[in-house]
């Protein structure tokens, strides 16, 4: 435990404000700003934004879009990230509102999509 004579005036004021929730040791550690090596490594390590292989659909990180996936880009060994679907809209799936499904398919021309077409339009058609 550290005595009153070892602390600066700023630390004492800060401690009086925060004494109800934190102990002395916690306050002094926070003030010193020291972090362990693991914490520094976690901050530096970030995921690469590139697609290196095909992935399944996951929630999109783009505003307004529902799904995203990494798909082949046409060139051998190249991949691209595709975002599709309107956030907040429920897809009918195989059995659902047939009028709604027909309208969607007509509007997006789903009949022209082939199995190797990975455009956002065709990915949405595959969901419906």
């Amino acid at each position: 435990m550290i005595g009153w004579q070892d602390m600066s005036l700023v630390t004492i004021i800060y401690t009086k404000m925060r004494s109800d929730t934190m102990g002395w040791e916690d306050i002094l550690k926070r003030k010193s700003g020291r972090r362990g090596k693991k914490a520094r490594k976690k901050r530096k390590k970030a995921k690469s934004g590139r697609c290196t292989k095909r992935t399944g659909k996951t929630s999109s990180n783009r505003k307004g879009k529902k799904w995203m996936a990494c798909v082949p880009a046409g060139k051998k060994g190249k991949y691209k990230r595709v975002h599709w679907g309107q956030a907040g809209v429920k897809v009918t799936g195989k059995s659902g509102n047939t009028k709604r499904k027909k309208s969607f398919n007509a509007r997006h021309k789903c009949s022209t999509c082939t199995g190797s077409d990975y455009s956002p339009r065709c990915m949405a058609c595959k969901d419906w």
Side-chain angles (χ1 to χ4, degrees):
M1 189 83 173
I2 299 174
W4 286 93
Q5 65 275 11
D6 297 331
M7 291 190 283
S8 68
L9 182 60
V10 175
T11 306
I12 293 169
I13 294 169
Y14 182 76
T15 305
K16 286 184 180 179
M17 290 190 305
R18 302 281 304 193
S19 63
D20 57 334
T21 59
M22 299 174 68
W24 288 102
E25 290 83 13
D26 296 332
I27 292 169
L28 292 175
K29 281 180 189 175
R30 179 175 271 189
K31 291 297 284 181
S32 66
R34 293 185 192 153
R35 292 187 180 178
K37 289 181 182 178
K38 288 182 183 178
R40 279 188 293 240
K41 284 183 182 177
K42 283 182 184 177
R43 276 186 282 136
K44 286 181 183 178
K45 191 175 182 181
K47 282 189 173 182
S48 174
R50 294 185 179 166
C51 288
T52 56
K53 61 181 181 177
R54 182 154 185 194
T55 61
K57 72 177 185 179
T58 58
S59 296
S60 179
N61 56 9
R62 186 171 290 173
K63 184 179 178 183
K65 297 297 176 185
K66 191 168 191 173
W67 304 110
M68 73 176 180
C70 289
V71 295
K75 299 170 189 163
K76 194 171 184 177
K78 299 285 183 177
Y79 293 91
K80 64 180 178 179
R81 182 171 290 123
V82 177
H83 299 262
W84 75 94
Q86 184 179 350
V89 174
K90 189 175 181 181
V91 176
T92 62
K94 295 192 184 219
S95 61
N97 186 347
T98 54
K99 279 186 178 178
R100 205 169 144 233
K101 195 173 199 168
K102 271 186 181 177
S103 297
F104 181 90
N105 288 336
R107 187 168 61 248
H108 291 89
K109 299 177 184 149
C110 291
S111 58
T112 61
C113 289
T114 61
S116 62
D117 193 358
Y118 294 110
S119 66
R121 176 178 67 92
C122 291
M123 296 295 279
C125 288
K126 287 175 189 174
D127 279 350
W128 280 71

